[in-house]
Amino acid sequence: MLRVNNLHLPLGFTGEDLRRAAAQKLRVRPQELQGLCLVKKSVDARKKADVHVVCSVEAQVAGENRLLARLRGGDVQPARPYRYRLPQGPAPGRRPVVVGFGPAGMFAGLILAQCGQRPIILERGLPVEARQRSVEAFWAGGALDPESNVQFGEGGAGAFSDGKLTTGTGDGRIRKVLEELAAAGAPPEILTDAKPHIGTDRLPGVVRNIRESILAMGGEVRFSARLAGLQVRDGALEEAEVATPAGVEHIPCNRLILAVGHSARDVFALLEGLGAAMEPKPFSVGVRVEHPALLIDQAQYGSFAGHPALGAADYKLNCRTPAGRGVYTFCMCPGGTVTGAASELGGIVTNGMSPFARDGQNSNAALLVGVGPEDFGGSGPLAGVAFQRRIERAAFALGGGDYRAPAQRIADLLEGRPSRGFGGVTPTYRPGVTAGDLAPCLPAFVVEALRQALPQLGRRLKGFDLPDGVLTAPETRSSSPVRVLRNQDSLQALGIRGLYPCGEGAGYAGGIVSAAVDGIRCAERCVEAAP
């Protein structure tokens, strides 16, 4: 089998087009190809007059060694398909416990189940079906449930997002993640698209199917089960205390994967009380920026905007202000909406999500400013949490005290005046927005960095600084504000044997795929350490 790269094809290409391009690259006739499989597809829009698709395939053809010798490297190489191998370890004594059922906990639990470890998985929130109903009720103006919301519940924060599966890591386990998601009902295109996504509307079914797989292999998933305490003796984990509707349950355990996500502030406080090694971590805060989806499509694709083979366009931008602040876009949601993502009473948090079709009127992204411990105005490992909370509570008051979010037109932010309403871009945030001035809820240096960055980014992406563009605040949960320190080899928490800090909440991931990969890595170490 050969890997053939850099096949340039028109938008809307056919299978026969792909076959001819591969044959031409191999310098054989199309009928000589005995097998052909698409393995990667991306859009090249660098030249707006020539937007096209670039593909890689695996091809089977007679005389492959002869072809390799003749073509000598370049775009034709031996195919090396990735095959994941489950970790090996002794039969388990006590069953391992996984806390949190977001991407990290879900994939940790799946690997443990596939290894016959019969994990016990604890999730403070509700199953995804019931969670959807409670979130929709909140967005419609109902009460916030602090235990089951956009941050907490089956699927984690990623269940209410665009479902993007991109990551900057090169870990081979990424393929394992994509294959399991596809087997659970995710669109098969995630195995080939360079920028794969599932979509908020399809994620719940995928999450539910992975849960059912874990249960079928002897695992257990307990909902409305919040970690309330850990018992540690002589530096080793002995027991987990779990708050449930029926009371506190004590689960003996000597292996626990802590995959609680970046918003589990009570768990961070619990770890601090135990004396766990932790440190404040740099992260980012800012706003959600919304534009008409058509404007972004035209800026990225030129005259090809609207082509059925393209869909809604995305972007990824960054710059540095004169003061040295990094400003960048994150979690871009083409054709999506801005959502209420609060998890604490009396605080506003924004996020973004898109359905699989990405067919909404607006596109949005987080527009973030980097912050570090020197900005937090406090000391200790939880100083970043306090920094986030101050912003979120100020935004709650500014929005009117009913979970409406403060919002401002780009032109008004640049001119330093409150917005009295909105123009060509209608805010999509639910439960609703209050027009005004964002400055009272954001640190002054963040507001100034946004003012300096918007014109710069507008020069890089035409229309990004659109006067009627909408800024909705605040975006505070881009990543965890803490890092729970762990041993580089065993992945166990420093000073607490048997505890595996994992994923975004522990400070070791940034997105669905990287969190899932870290969950797999922690599960591997957990299996190998089975007593």
Side-chain angles (χ1 to χ4, degrees), residues 33-46:
L33 296 178
Q34 300 168 358
L36 190 71
C37 177
L38 177 67
V39 294
K40 190 64 67 177
K41 180 179 70 173
S42 63
V43 173
D44 186 344
R46 289 173 295 179

Side-chain angles (χ1 to χ4, degrees), residues 128-491:
V128 69
E129 305 93 338
R131 182 186 180 204
Q132 280 183 295
R133 292 192 292 271
S134 64
V135 168
E136 282 291 342
F138 169 64
W139 287 343
L144 172 68
D145 182 349
E147 295 298 331
S148 189
N149 44 62
V150 169
Q151 307 296 344
F152 302 143
E154 184 178 27
F160 292 92
S161 71
D162 185 51
K164 281 178 286 294
L165 303 176
T166 52
T167 176
T169 68
D171 196 301
R173 297 174 183 86
I174 293 170
R175 185 68 186 182
K176 170 69 169 173
V177 172
L178 297 178
E179 288 175 350
E180 292 291 354
L181 291 171
E189 301 97 295
I190 68 171
L191 297 175
T192 55
D193 285 355
K195 296 180 179 180
H197 77 284
I198 299 176
T200 306
D201 50 336
R202 299 194 181 189
L203 274 165
V206 174
V207 168
R208 184 170 56 249
N209 289 339
I210 292 177
R211 181 220 306 165
E212 293 300 325
S213 294
I214 293 171
L215 296 177
M217 290 181 282
E220 203 175 326
V221 182
R222 303 181 187 178
F223 296 104
S224 299
R226 176 177 55 82
L227 182 68
L230 295 171
Q231 294 299 320
V232 178
R233 179 176 296 177
D234 298 329
L237 179 66
E238 288 195 340
E239 180 182 276
E241 298 175 5
V242 184
T244 74
V248 176
E249 180 181 357
H250 299 268
I251 302 177
C253 69
N254 49 21
R255 292 175 296 153
L256 185 148
I257 295 176
L258 191 67
V260 293
H262 56 42
S263 295
R265 293 165 172 174
D266 57 332
V267 177
F268 301 153
L270 185 159
L271 293 173
E272 184 182 36
L274 285 173
M278 302 165 64
E279 63 184 15
K281 181 177 100 28
F283 59 104
S284 303
V285 300
V287 297
R288 275 274 155 182
V289 58
E290 286 192 89
H291 303 91
L294 181 59
L295 179 146
I296 302 301
D297 293 349
Q298 292 172 337
Q300 294 291 65
Y301 296 143
S303 62
F304 288 87
H307 192 288
L310 288 172
D314 64 2
Y315 58 76
K316 187 175 183 180
L317 303 171
N318 65 83
C319 69
R320 190 160 293 277
T321 70
R325 291 277 177 185
V327 181
Y328 65 100
T329 63
F330 175 74
C331 187
M332 196 272 163
C333 297
T337 57
V338 180
T339 62
S343 60
E344 288 186 344
L345 297 174
I348 295 288
V349 180
T350 66
N351 200 357
M353 70 180 195
S354 301
F356 178 73
R358 292 177 164 177
D359 54 359
Q361 288 292 111
N362 291 356
S363 290
N364 73 81
L367 180 59
L368 301 175
V369 179
V371 297
E374 66 278 7
D375 300 310
F376 297 161
S379 60
L382 303 189
V385 171
F387 178 77
Q388 289 175 324
R389 189 174 278 141
R390 289 194 298 272
I391 295 172
E392 293 164 12
R393 290 181 175 174
F396 182 78
L398 192 60
D402 57 1
Y403 294 100
R404 285 175 297 150
Q408 191 172 15
R409 293 173 61 250
I410 287 177
D412 294 333
L413 178 108
L414 292 175
E415 295 296 327
R417 61 178 180 248
S419 291
R420 303 301 179 191
F422 302 98
V425 182
T426 301
T428 60
Y429 173 89
R430 298 168 66 199
V433 302
T434 299
D437 184 0
L438 300 185
C441 73
L442 294 171
F445 70 84
V446 170
V447 175
E448 184 58 26
L450 294 175
R451 285 181 178 139
Q452 293 175 348
L454 279 161
Q456 289 190 59
L457 299 179
R459 289 191 287 273
R460 298 185 184 186
L461 181 68
K462 185 178 180 181
F464 190 82
D465 55 350
L466 178 75
D468 272 351
V470 176
L471 306 171
T472 306
E475 171 90 30
T476 51
R477 310 280 183 94
S478 59
S479 64
S480 181
V482 304
R483 179 172 287 112
V484 185
L485 303 183
R486 66 188 187 187
N487 181 280
Q488 186 173 351
D489 296 322
S490 73
L491 304 186

